[in-house]
Amino acid sequence: MSDAAIFDQQAVADKVTGQSPLHHLSSSHKTEGVVLEEVPSLGYLTLRGDANDEAFRAGVHKALGLELPVQPMTLLQSDTVSIQWLSPDEWMIVCPGARCFEFESALHEQLSGHYAVVNVSGGYTMLTLSGDRALDVLYQSTAYDVHPRHFGTGKAVATTLAKATVFLRRPDDGKWELIVRRSFADYCWRWLVGVC
Amino acid sequence: MFLIYCPYCGEEREESEFHAKGQAHLARPADPDNSSDEEWGHYLFFRENPRGIHHELWVHAAGCRKFFNVTRHTVSYEILETYPIGEQPRVTANQMEKPA
Ligand SMILES: [Zn+2]
């Protein structure tokens, strides 16, 4: 239990309108063999701590109902939450925006000592690519080797997409998730539409 | 493509994900208040510029964002090893001079 001061950052429908950084563009783009879509308004939490600390791992498990991925470049997910390994002491947690405060509170409830949980929901948005030609779009967009032989299901890496940074994830066989910075969302979207 | 092995990610990654940050293994004077101007000046501003083996600090900027060390040959640009912060190089200039 920590005494960190936190508050619910989710926009409340009748008071403030939450807006995707791509609100001015179409939220989906379909061409032959590729579907590009935005998944707006998700919750994003940056988690930092010591992966060798058993109490830390147990606390995360209790708060999120998921094991902490300690293997480099792995993604663990349940129906509601996913945890992506970012570095030996840093993880990205993605959840529905409306439940973000609940998970953020649960983490502070379960963790103690030297750790950090920061709500970075305002800083990112998620794009998804699916379809038979999704891989061709990625080949044109990133230097990372996304061939299925090298990039299996459940893998997630931080790399570059058209020179912008991206968290590239493969949650299942047929879908790619691209988490981009909100300030680069317009650029990444237009790049991908161009490649599609 | 030019690939660099990140010791934290545990795989080879494209060079554009990395930045070079200068000479590695710079020890900060243990007692800054009592170090001489010369000692402090050397720590802040003086760097090696060898022809041959050089130990450098690099950062996996677009990946895991961890700093790590690189042993690089400044003539051939060949990267001979990469290793985590806190470890010592296995490839050194002395070692390279020795006949095989
Ligand atoms: Zn790395």
Side-chain angles (χ1 to χ4, degrees):
Chain A
M1 179 74 189
S2 111
D3 55 2
I6 53 169
F7 65 96
D8 192 349
Q9 298 181 32
Q10 176 79 359
V12 182
D14 57 339
K15 291 183 183 149
V16 188
T17 314
Q19 214 169 39
S20 148
L22 294 173
H23 69 95
H24 57 299
L25 298 169
S26 156
S27 65
S28 89
H29 178 82
K30 294 186 179 71
T31 58
E32 187 82 40
V34 199
V35 181
L36 169 67
E37 281 174 319
E38 190 205 3
V39 188
S41 309
L42 291 172
Y44 298 88
L45 298 170
T46 293
L47 170 70
R48 301 205 64 175
D50 180 2
N52 295 317
D53 178 357
E54 210 172 300
F56 175 72
R57 292 199 311 272
V60 173
H61 186 239
K62 216 166 172 192
L64 305 178
L66 262 180
E67 291 290 335
L68 186 73
V70 292
Q71 288 302 314
M73 299 168 296
T74 48
L75 174 71
L76 293 180
Q77 51 189 342
S78 67
D79 291 343
T80 43
V81 195
S82 66
I83 313 180
Q84 176 183 350
W85 182 98
L86 285 183
S87 99
D89 55 11
E90 184 177 359
W91 296 264
M92 175 61 94
I93 297 162
V94 182
C95 64
R99 296 193 62 189
C100 195
F101 185 60
E102 172 193 332
F103 290 123
E104 186 182 2
S105 308
L107 284 162
H108 283 296
E109 192 83 24
Q110 297 298 336
L111 302 178
S112 59
H114 195 62
Y115 78 95
V117 176
V118 180
N119 190 329
V120 291
S121 302
Y124 295 92
T125 194
M126 183 190 282
L127 311 178
T128 61
L129 277 171
S130 53
D132 302 340
R133 280 184 54 248
L135 211 51
D136 293 336
V137 175
L138 288 174
Y139 286 145
Q140 293 287 322
S141 308
T142 176
Y144 193 81
D145 183 2
V146 291
H147 191 282
R149 177 181 62 217
H150 184 256
F151 206 129
T153 301
K155 191 168 182 176
V157 298
T159 182
T160 53
L161 178 94
K163 297 191 177 179
T165 53
V166 64
F167 299 153
L168 184 59
R169 303 139 57 99
R170 193 160 177 229
D172 59 56
D173 280 349
K175 188 174 80 173
W176 297 83
E177 291 176 345
L178 294 78
I179 297 175
V180 296
R181 298 300 300 240
R182 65 161 296 127
S183 50
F184 279 90
D186 179 278
Y187 165 78
C188 291
W189 179 270
R190 289 175 198 270
W191 170 279
L192 291 167
V193 166
V195 175
C196 286
Chain B
M1 246 166 108
F2 179 32
L3 299 172
I4 299 170
Y5 183 85
C6 172
Y8 295 100
C9 291
E11 65 174 22
E12 288 182 328
R13 303 289 281 263
E14 166 63 15
E15 176 219 4
S16 58
E17 293 182 8
F18 298 88
H19 291 306
K21 292 286 180 181
Q23 189 182 335
H25 305 295
L26 293 171
R28 191 173 192 267
D31 185 2
D33 289 342
N34 294 310
S35 72
S36 65
D37 284 355
E38 192 183 357
E39 194 184 354
W40 194 249
H42 269 92
Y43 166 64
L44 285 183
F45 302 115
F46 284 67
R47 298 291 181 264
E48 299 288 332
N49 185 23
R51 186 175 191 277
I53 300 295
H54 195 210
H55 304 293
E56 298 171 333
L57 190 64
W58 284 60
V59 60
H60 193 185
C64 63
R65 288 173 280 165
K66 288 288 176 206
F67 285 81
F68 61 97
N69 300 304
V70 168
T71 302
R72 195 174 64 92
H73 199 287
T74 58
V75 177
S76 66
Y77 296 157
E78 185 186 357
I79 289 177
L80 298 153
E81 63 173 341
T82 61
Y83 52 102
I85 291 297
E87 288 187 12
Q88 293 300 312
R90 275 168 301 170
V91 183
T92 60
N94 293 339
Q95 189 186 329
M96 294 298 275
E97 278 158 16
K98 278 185 214 154

